[in-house]
Amino acid sequence: MLLVRRPSHLGFLICLFEGAGIRRKKRHGDGGRKQRREDKEKGLDLQQARLPPEESFQSWANYTKALKETGTRLKDRITSRSLDKLELTEIRGRSGFEMKKTLSWWDLIWFGIGAVIGAGIFVLTGQEARDSAGPAVILSYVVSGVSAMLSVFCYTEFAVEIPVAGGSFAYLRVELGDFMAFIAAGNILLEYVIGGAAVARSWTSYFATLLNHHPNDFRIHAASLNPDYSRLDPIAVAVIAIVCLAAVSSTKATSRFNYVASIVHLAIIVFIIIAGLTQANPKNLSDFTPFGVRVFSASAVLFFAYVGFDAVSTMAEETKNPAKDIPLGLVGAMAITTGCYCLLALTLCLMQPYSQIDPDAPFSVAFQAIGMDWAAHRRLRRAQGHDDRAPRVGRRPGPLPHPHRPHPHGSSMASRGARHHRHPVNATVVMLVATAVIAFFTSLGILSNLLSISTLFIFMMVAVALLVRRYYVSGQTNDSDRNKLIAALVLILASSMATAAYWAAGGMGWAGYLVSVLVWLLATAFLWWGVPQARAPQTWGVPLVPWLPSASIAINAFLLGSIDGPSFVRFGIWTALLLVYYFFFGLHASYDTAKAASNDGV
């Protein structure tokens, strides 16, 4: 029966990758025997790494019994939380390999720049300036940048305190429990795939414009499909296939490539700013906010331009000195990125009236409009050649988060390739194949909105987790302080979502915003004055707690309220699929694995 043999983690596809990994090792002869000897010395066994089915999946009777216990098991998984020590020792050891600590803060800055700067500035800037914000697109980038920087602070404290490759999945599992970690893991996977697909399709847009063609000239029109999915993009698939080769190379080699690519990218950005400002026309800014408050709607879409820095936090396990390198790397990369975005948006709007900006290749067409064709076709072609941020760095998963398992690093899918390459090759390939499929069918507008929803949701949850981390320690925090924390968090979340909902509904009266913002202020102040912090960071911590994490929650929720309804429908479908999988498979696999680990004394 399929149910008996089905592995619980990511299904049959990953099983094939695992089997292929074992067969490759057997063909390696002496090298394979040497590797097996090394594995046995470390207490590893290749056959055990295949992970037999959990108890709930060993027979139909067991599975039926597990389904009847869904309520009890769900309660257990919602309330269960991991421990810092467990993440740093036992779970890291289960991966079967140790990441090399080769990266410094300088490496992380360039990884961050390479992961973030890309399609957001070179494509979406023109789209939002022309259709949603006008010259005020500069303010849109400022709002998105503030939101991203607040999230950077939250991620930095977690990455310093829990320097493991699991990223936000590990952080939420420690502070908010297994169920919320599962939701986060599903959205992390969505973020990786959608982000890479969006960048790949934007590459096609620039490539076409530089050849004086419309992007759809290079796409196949499938008239029988929905218009949002009918422009098939083989160039995007080819780009992803090429950068996949770079993504499976060693981390240090990728770091060196990032140095070169990011330096060239920044040099081109500086050139665009200098050359563009020589032809600046201040009259183009005279109608600065032609679309009024839609500037915030543009901020939600342009948040896509800041996606990627969270992937840098997953490299903490490969960082020499996390307490020093991660804060410098993340904050430095975000500050440079925000400055570049604002200056480039200003340059674009000074070169050309917002109504004439090309949505597919805004900078290239703007240079042509001011008579600098050589700049459009030479310098910007090089910029396009380096616009591979998502497949190259930002979407490179560390050990792939497994949303149904309580231990994310135990998959042999990740560790097979890692034993030779020191990082998860098979996981990277699986992710990029999924990315290529999405990029082939889906338009950039749909991808950018869906990515913004997923990312903003995760960032909001990480901010909540940070507040829980500071104010609650199991076994130490008394019931009174715990209940005060829960009440404050409920009010902060409720007031933030109320503000976002009122905005999304088109509310223009000041009274609604006054009430929701006042509730947020009072809840945050109550948490500050009325609840003692239960834990202080050991090396580096977010300043002005709880104000900065609470502000991160509020601004992320507000930006979510600025995204269109159909995008939330798509996000809801994805979330529903995640929950179906969880309730029928992941919940029971996670429960059984945690129970087995408890019986083994882990």
Side-chain angles (χ1 to χ4, degrees), residues 2 4-24 46-53 400 402 404 411-414 416 426-427 430 581:
L2 177 62
V4 175
R5 306 303 304 170
R6 180 189 179 104
S8 65
H9 60 297
L10 296 188
F12 181 67
L13 177 62
I14 292 178
C15 184
L16 293 178
F17 275 89
E18 292 174 348
I22 293 176
R23 288 193 293 273
R24 283 196 299 274
L46 294 178
Q47 296 301 322
Q48 290 178 355
R50 291 187 63 119
L51 297 174
L400 189 67
H402 301 287
H404 53 287
S411 171
S412 58
M413 187 191 89
R416 291 292 173 211
N426 290 341
V430 169
Y581 172 81

Side-chain angles (χ1 to χ4, degrees), residues 92-112:
R92 180 188 289 180
R94 292 186 181 200
S95 66
F97 66 98
E98 186 75 16
M99 295 285 190
K100 288 185 176 180
K101 295 183 179 296
T102 60
L103 303 178
S104 67
W105 64 270
W106 187 249
D107 295 304
L108 294 181
I109 283 180
W110 290 111
F111 265 113

Side-chain angles (χ1 to χ4, degrees), residues 130-459:
R130 193 188 71 167
D131 299 332
S132 299
V137 69
I138 303 164
L139 298 181
S140 299
Y141 271 118
V142 171
V143 173
S144 297
V146 169
S147 174
M149 185 62 79
L150 292 174
S151 296
V152 162
F153 281 120
C154 298
Y155 267 86
T156 299
E157 179 170 331
F158 272 117
V160 170
E161 295 285 298
I162 312 175
V164 296
S168 53
F169 174 79
Y171 311 153
L172 294 183
R173 202 158 65 89
V174 168
E175 300 303 334
L176 299 185
D178 184 82
F179 177 73
M180 289 308 303
F182 164 79
I183 298 297
N187 282 280
I188 291 169
L189 295 178
L190 179 66
E191 179 188 336
Y192 286 165
V193 172
I194 297 299
V199 172
R201 285 191 72 97
S202 69
W203 201 98
T204 303
S205 296
Y206 242 92
F207 176 75
T209 304
L210 292 175
L211 297 179
N212 294 319
H213 282 269
H214 190 278
N216 287 338
D217 292 344
F218 293 89
R219 293 170 178 148
I220 302 169
H221 185 211
S224 59
L225 298 178
N226 184 292
D228 290 329
Y229 307 93
S230 64
R231 297 290 179 177
L232 312 184
D233 198 332
I235 293 179
V237 175
V239 169
I240 292 172
I242 292 171
V243 299
C244 181
L245 299 177
V248 298
S249 65
S250 69
T251 300
K252 194 62 182 177
T254 308
S255 175
R256 294 190 186 101
F257 178 75
N258 268 282
Y259 281 148
V260 176
S262 298
I263 288 172
V264 171
H265 215 161
L266 284 178
I268 293 169
I269 288 173
V270 171
F271 165 80
I272 292 174
I273 293 171
I274 295 174
L277 291 179
T278 62
Q279 302 294 323
N281 183 0
K283 292 182 179 180
N284 292 337
L285 301 181
S286 58
D287 188 8
F288 192 72
T289 55
F291 299 98
V293 294
R294 286 178 62 186
V295 64
F296 294 109
S297 299
S299 293
V301 175
L302 292 174
F303 192 83
F304 167 83
Y306 290 94
V307 172
F309 76 83
D310 55 314
V312 180
S313 71
T314 68
M315 308 178 81
E317 193 174 335
E318 302 165 78
T319 303
K320 295 176 183 177
N321 185 357
K324 169 190 172 184
D325 296 333
I326 293 174
L328 289 175
L330 277 172
V331 176
M334 187 54 59
I336 293 172
T337 298
T338 302
C340 288
Y341 281 179
C342 292
L343 286 174
L344 280 172
L346 174 63
T347 301
L348 176 63
C349 293
L350 285 171
M351 281 197 295
Q352 205 174 19
Y354 76 89
S355 59
Q356 299 177 19
I357 292 175
D358 185 272
D360 294 313
F363 291 96
S364 178
V365 173
F367 273 111
Q368 292 175 3
I370 61 177
M372 299 178 68
D373 289 11
W374 60 273
H377 289 280
R378 184 173 300 176
R379 297 290 184 180
L380 293 180
R381 182 179 289 116
R382 292 180 185 175
Q384 172 206 11
H386 292 282
D387 188 20
D388 56 351
R389 66 172 176 146
R392 186 179 75 236
V393 181
R395 304 300 130 221
R396 183 187 74 84
L400 189 67
H402 301 287
H404 53 287
R405 301 190 62 83
H407 305 314
H409 304 294
S411 171
S412 58
M413 187 191 89
S415 59
R416 291 292 173 211
R419 292 200 178 110
H420 288 296
H421 300 279
R422 307 295 286 180
H423 66 274
V425 174
N426 290 341
T428 303
V429 173
V430 169
M431 292 297 294
L432 288 174
V433 168
T435 300
V437 173
I438 299 296
F440 187 60
F441 290 98
T442 314
S443 68
L444 179 60
I446 289 177
L447 294 174
S448 59
N449 282 343
L450 193 56
L451 178 62
S452 292
I453 292 176
S454 176
T455 306
L456 288 166
F457 175 78
I458 294 174
F459 289 177

Side-chain angles (χ1 to χ4, degrees), residues 57-77:
F57 303 100
Q58 292 178 357
S59 69
W60 281 108
N62 285 6
Y63 183 60
T64 302
K65 179 182 177 182
L67 291 179
K68 292 179 180 178
E69 297 175 354
T70 296
T72 303
R73 294 185 173 202
L74 178 61
K75 180 180 178 181
D76 175 82
R77 293 293 83 202

